[in-house]
Amino acid sequence: MGLKGKLISETEIKGCKDLFHEMFCEKPHHLPNVVPQTIQAVDLHEGDWGTVGSVVNWNYTIEGDEKVVKVIIDEINKEKRLVTFKAFEGHLIEEYKAFKATIHIENEGDINLVIWTIEYEKQNEDIPEPFSYLQLATNITKDVDTHHVNQ
């Protein structure tokens, strides 16, 4: 495989699409209360929640390892319920020259689909494709949806 790639997952949610978008756009700091086994902290370093250009630090666990990444909110589109996070500091940058994760929600009739797109460029051929990050995003999606449905 090449150094650049894109991974996509789609997960149907039963909860409110607007609440779901709000959680990732304006209230990601609530995620440690919803998925503490996966996300330990989400801290704002610059800017305001829900604002393009804001810098956010994420502490999370993936494959049993605790990791930290600093991201900038690269894009927000409230109509499309879309948020893009671009990593620029932390362990991801050690493995990937570029790493961008976009979450957006599409409607197909009564069905709401959460779509995660991960675009990346590996530092070298020895770095694996970030399938574990796509699985992490899918698992968080399911857990957040369960939380919203059960409230």
Side-chain angles (χ1 to χ4, degrees):
M1 298 204 80
L3 294 179
K4 292 183 179 184
K6 182 188 289 190
L7 302 175
I8 300 171
S9 78
E10 295 183 359
T11 305
E12 183 179 344
I13 60 169
K14 294 176 179 24
C16 175
K17 60 187 178 281
D18 294 324
L19 279 176
F20 196 93
H21 172 72
E22 183 181 78
M23 177 72 79
F24 285 88
C25 182
E26 298 169 10
K27 299 181 179 178
H29 52 291
H30 291 197
L31 285 167
N33 298 325
V34 177
V35 287
Q37 70 282 7
T38 308
I39 299 176
Q40 289 73 50
V42 181
D43 300 311
L44 185 67
H45 280 265
E46 290 178 28
D48 297 307
W49 294 115
T51 304
V52 170
S54 294
V55 175
V56 182
N57 197 65
W58 295 72
N59 295 60
Y60 62 96
T61 302
I62 185 165
E63 296 181 326
D65 295 324
E66 291 185 7
K67 303 283 186 177
V68 178
V69 67
K70 194 175 282 187
V71 302
I72 189 165
I73 299 175
D74 198 44
E75 180 182 4
I76 294 174
N77 184 320
K78 292 188 188 276
E79 285 181 21
K80 292 183 179 179
R81 295 174 189 85
L82 177 144
V83 183
T84 299
F85 304 97
K86 184 175 171 185
F88 71 91
E89 191 176 292
H91 73 282
L92 276 173
I93 300 307
E94 294 168 12
E95 296 181 341
Y96 302 94
K97 289 180 185 175
F99 193 96
K100 187 163 62 170
T102 300
I103 179 173
H104 82 278
I105 304 167
E106 288 186 1
N107 288 82
E108 293 182 7
D110 291 339
I111 298 172
N112 294 317
L113 287 176
V114 173
I115 301 169
W116 281 96
T117 304
I118 296 176
E119 298 173 78
Y120 61 93
E121 182 178 358
K122 300 187 292 184
Q123 292 282 4
N124 61 59
E125 287 288 345
D126 296 330
I127 302 296
E129 270 56 43
F131 293 117
S132 59
Y133 287 92
L134 191 64
Q135 186 61 55
L136 177 75
T138 300
N139 292 344
I140 290 170
T141 297
K142 292 175 182 176
D143 291 345
V144 168
D145 187 45
T146 298
H147 173 78
H148 284 152
V149 168
N150 291 335
Q151 279 196 325

